[in-house]
Amino acid sequence: MIILAKIIHFLCFSVGIGGGVAAMLAGIRAKGAAPDAVPVLRGIQKTLGRISFVAIMLLWVTGLYMVYAIRDGWAGLGVFFWLKILAVLVLTGASLTAQYFTLTAAKRDPAVMGPRMAKIGMTASGSAVVALIFAVFAFTG
């Protein structure tokens, strides 16, 4: 079961990072796209965001499972683990915020939300990379 949890964990991380990068690229392309292409690109971003959000939730589930299945709880986890968790909390917050803004997009000004969503995306991607780096340090040795 632990091996399955690790596989799901790593696949979800890959989906999350890949989806975030793809969504950013779609957003960049939407800025200069023909008016009829913009809704298609925004739809792609929305779908990628939802998939990435589900991946983050599965990361939490598999990660919590592994903490107890492998380490028998939180004791003895070093500073890099907790730094990783901090980065994951930032990633989760950015993802939740993006999902909220996406669900309430009809009430928002697209001119304001475009740059705001770009910053949220950069925050999410940056914190995901930082979480990965800290995970390598936390679990090496």
Side-chain angles (χ1 to χ4, degrees):
M1 188 67 170
I2 292 171
I3 290 174
L4 179 60
K6 285 182 181 182
I7 290 169
I8 292 169
H9 200 76
F10 291 136
L11 286 174
C12 286
F13 191 82
S14 299
V15 167
I17 289 276
V21 170
M24 281 193 292
L25 292 173
I28 290 167
R29 293 301 295 248
K31 288 179 187 175
D36 61 330
V38 173
V40 173
L41 291 166
R42 295 296 182 215
I44 290 169
Q45 280 185 295
K46 185 177 179 180
T47 300
L48 289 168
R50 286 187 177 154
I51 291 168
S52 295
F53 180 74
V54 170
I56 291 168
M57 295 303 104
L58 284 171
L59 280 166
W60 275 107
V61 170
T62 56
L64 289 170
Y65 168 77
M66 289 187 292
V67 162
Y68 286 97
I70 297 170
R71 302 280 181 161
D72 200 28
W74 303 99
L77 295 167
V79 68
F80 284 112
F81 175 82
W82 293 107
L83 290 170
K84 177 192 89 78
I85 291 297
L86 180 61
V88 172
L89 286 169
V90 171
L91 167 62
T92 304
S95 183
L96 283 167
T97 302
Q99 290 303 303
Y100 174 75
F101 285 157
T102 299
L103 291 170
T104 60
K107 296 187 263 182
R108 301 186 182 279
D109 178 8
V112 172
M113 291 313 296
R116 189 172 293 166
M117 289 298 280
K119 287 177 185 172
I120 291 169
M122 288 186 281
T123 300
S125 294
S127 61
V129 170
V130 169
L132 174 63
I133 292 167
F134 285 144
V136 169
F137 284 111
F139 298 112
T140 300

